[in-house]
Amino acid sequence: MDRRTFVHALAGSTALALPALSGCARREDDPEPEPPAADGDAEPDEPVEEGTLRIATTKPFVEGEASAAIWLKKTFEERFEDAEIDWVLPEAGMAHYVERDRRDFLPDVDVYLGFTASDLALADIELENRPLFRSLNRDRIDTIDEIRDGLDLQDPTDRILPVSTQYVSLLVDETAVSPPTSIEALTEPDYESAVVTTSPRYNPRGRGFLSWLIDDVGPDRYLEQWQALRENDLAVEQTWADALASYDDGRAILPAFATDALDRILEGNAPERNRISYPGNVGYAEPRLVGIFEGAIQVDLAYEFVSFVLEPDVQAAIAPRIGQYPALPLEGLDVAPDDDEDTDGDDSTGSDDETEPTGDDTDDGSQTDDTSGDQTGDDSSDTDNDTDETDDGASDDTQDTDDDTVDVDDDAEDTDETEETDLERRQRVFAEHAIEPADIVTLSYETRRDDLPELIEDWALEFDPGSL
């Protein structure tokens, strides 16, 4: 398997065959817009803060009864009265914008919110490092200094910022075993037959666990360490559902996203049997990213949005809604339900049709169901917790940009004030049980793009050759 094909598989694509793309960027107010001239994105004396800001995003931001997209749109438009947000779910994820760029079309969106490093790697490799996203002038982003240390993927061209993250942790049944003090401790007799994981080839949690192992023991020892886990009777399942079933049937430790524990508690499972554990108080981060397209039209509004989405109040509001941890330190953020909060537009999106685009997006950035094989990237879940990267399989019909626009209804349904809403339940569980690691480790973007595919392929050759 050549490297390009393998990275393509990591990013969740099945093919780059997209629907025919007719014409360049199209917007209601300007059928043939032109991006502003490149000037290093210096802050203008009079920034343009009006018009329609089109934002491509992933499923966790738009789906569910507590849609973050609704809240973000409403709150941003209240601040910028002459601006409007249009949400877009690209059917093929990042591959859609790669194909548009290949055909010299403008992206027809200004911002991409919620994609992963695997998505960006796909773009860099397919476009041979021709920039799809602009280098950010970080001085224009007032909230940038609040981002947690360790979440920066060190992109050498400064195109991306984390807006949320998943932490790869250990889901531990504390009624059966004590949490390990380190990753290497999982090879000790106390944890024989205790650990089950998903395959790094098939699920983002398993891939995150292997990446954590690579960071922990180094690329020269990770295969040796995996073999030691196997000798301690490590179980490996292809799907998240099978791994959970094994965990519920007696395995006591499962590498998972920290939000998986919150989801299980939300479903009524006992907290002591679903503890979030960070060995050595260290967690491996899988950040979800934001970038501004090189061909963006609303550059000033795009910078305002990036700064806005990293504000503490905004981070606190969206984390429980999207099922991910904030990019800012959780300590100090108020994620608990507010008895006096106006919940208009927060606890229901209305019918399913109000948040679904034409075509089936698979979030990440991201999601396809992890039961379908080697197709996921870093995962951008997790209201869609089983899944991650984008599915590149698109329909053969000519794609109209308007078909991708998500109709986000700001009008909330009437709710019984005495009944806890879905959003309030999520906020309560998040406030009571979410734990972030004291320290963060993660592989840099260049390592993820250039080295990780080969390291995972070497793992597969050694331990799962049938998957290649």
Side-chain angles (χ1 to χ4, degrees):
M1 178 180 288
D2 65 48
R3 179 174 170 282
R4 176 182 292 251
T5 301
F6 193 81
V7 172
H8 209 266
L10 275 188
S13 59
T14 57
L16 268 183
L18 298 180
L21 301 173
S22 57
C24 297
R26 291 166 292 169
R27 298 176 182 238
E28 292 181 3
D29 57 346
D30 189 348
E32 294 183 358
E34 291 293 335
D39 59 358
D41 284 357
E43 187 164 7
D45 293 333
E46 297 182 3
V48 178
E49 297 177 349
E50 61 182 13
T52 300
L53 181 69
R54 287 176 59 85
I55 304 175
T57 191
T58 57
K59 272 189 174 181
F61 280 88
V62 299
E63 67 183 1
E65 294 181 1
S67 168
I70 291 177
W71 189 91
L72 287 167
K73 175 180 171 67
K74 176 181 178 182
T75 309
F76 186 80
E77 290 176 358
E78 286 175 351
R79 182 176 304 181
F80 298 92
E81 296 180 355
D82 296 323
E84 179 181 358
I85 287 179
D86 277 354
W87 293 104
V88 175
L89 273 175
E91 185 176 355
M94 186 68 77
H96 174 80
Y97 299 108
V98 168
E99 188 66 6
R100 288 189 70 95
D101 191 84
R102 279 177 165 172
R103 303 186 191 189
D104 293 326
F105 295 162
L106 293 175
D108 196 35
V109 288
D110 305 294
V111 175
Y112 205 154
L113 177 69
F115 64 93
T116 67
S118 291
D119 292 320
L120 186 59
L122 171 68
D124 281 353
I125 290 168
E126 295 294 341
L127 297 176
E128 298 180 344
N129 290 311
R130 186 170 72 250
L132 188 61
F133 295 95
R134 64 206 306 128
S135 295
L136 297 174
N137 178 357
R138 297 191 169 209
D139 290 338
R140 294 186 66 173
I141 303 168
D142 297 335
T143 49
I144 197 170
D145 292 337
E146 303 299 321
I147 296 173
R148 277 206 72 183
D149 291 340
L151 288 183
D152 188 352
L153 295 183
Q154 300 174 335
D155 172 37
T157 54
D158 274 341
R159 296 166 295 175
I160 53 176
L161 287 174
V163 291
S164 61
T165 189
Q166 292 289 7
Y167 290 117
V168 181
S169 63
L170 299 180
L171 192 65
V172 176
D173 180 355
E174 288 187 335
T175 67
V177 297
S178 298
T181 57
S182 67
I183 292 294
E184 291 194 71
L186 293 174
T187 63
E188 296 174 355
D190 287 348
Y191 301 105
E192 183 178 1
S193 304
V195 185
V196 58
T197 186
T198 48
S199 168
R201 287 281 293 169
Y202 292 98
N203 187 270
R205 297 161 183 82
R207 185 156 48 255
F209 179 57
L210 182 63
S211 300
W212 191 1
L213 199 66
I214 292 168
D215 182 89
D216 189 55
V217 303
D220 295 331
R221 287 191 55 220
Y222 78 106
L223 295 178
E224 173 188 331
Q225 191 69 14
W226 193 276
Q227 179 59 33
L229 289 168
R230 278 170 51 107
E231 293 172 359
N232 211 32
D233 194 26
L234 169 73
V236 180
E237 302 288 355
Q238 289 189 359
T239 73
W240 177 241
D242 288 343
L244 277 179
S246 181
Y247 180 78
D248 288 333
D249 286 344
R251 295 275 175 166
I253 296 177
L254 171 60
F257 293 138
T259 52
D260 291 326
L262 305 183
D263 287 341
R264 286 175 62 82
I265 294 169
L266 192 64
E267 293 164 1
N269 293 286
E272 63 271 17
R273 297 199 62 201
N274 296 276
R275 292 296 189 198
I276 299 168
S277 176
Y278 300 108
N281 214 355
V282 175
Y284 183 85
E286 293 283 14
R288 308 306 183 239
L289 309 169
V290 66
I292 301 175
F293 281 94
E294 185 74 21
I297 305 302
Q298 294 282 4
V299 174
D300 294 338
L301 269 179
Y303 270 99
E304 292 289 358
F305 179 81
V306 172
S307 186
F308 160 80
V309 83
L310 287 170
E311 292 178 0
D313 289 348
V314 176
Q315 288 275 294
I318 66 175
R321 289 171 166 86
I322 64 176
Q324 298 168 22
Y325 276 70
L328 274 58
L330 183 59
E331 183 179 3
L333 297 185
D334 184 8
V335 296
D338 184 351
D339 293 337
D340 298 325
E341 181 179 2
D342 178 7
T343 59
D344 284 355
D346 284 348
D347 49 68
S348 177
T349 58
S351 69
D352 291 342
D353 292 341
E354 289 174 345
T355 59
E356 281 299 313
T358 299
D360 182 25
D361 174 65
T362 57
D363 179 47
D364 23 263
S366 282
Q367 277 93 355
T368 55
D369 191 295
D370 61 12
T371 61
S372 59
D374 179 20
Q375 60 199 17
T376 58
D378 290 331
D379 184 68
S380 131
S381 145
D382 267 11
T383 48
D384 193 297
N385 243 351
D386 287 353
T387 57
D388 179 33
E389 297 296 320
T390 55
D391 180 357
D392 294 350
S395 69
D396 293 331
D397 299 331
T398 299
Q399 183 169 339
D400 190 307
T401 303
D402 292 341
D403 289 343
D404 285 336
T405 302
V406 183
D407 182 11
V408 197
D409 187 356
D410 289 341
D411 297 328
E413 295 178 352
D414 293 334
T415 59
D416 184 349
E417 292 182 359
T418 64
E419 183 178 348
E420 190 178 39
T421 66
D422 177 69
L423 173 60
E424 288 168 340
R425 286 192 297 273
R426 291 179 180 278
Q427 290 172 322
R428 175 176 51 79
V429 169
F430 209 101
E432 293 176 359
H433 299 285
I435 303 171
E436 62 183 358
D439 296 307
I440 297 172
V441 295
T442 194
L443 298 177
S444 70
Y445 171 64
E446 287 187 295
T447 298
R448 290 166 180 257
R449 181 191 63 197
D450 300 335
D451 301 327
L452 186 59
E454 294 179 6
L455 293 170
I456 294 178
E457 184 172 10
D458 289 343
W459 173 90
L461 287 169
E462 183 75 17
F463 299 110
D464 191 12
S467 69
L468 296 174

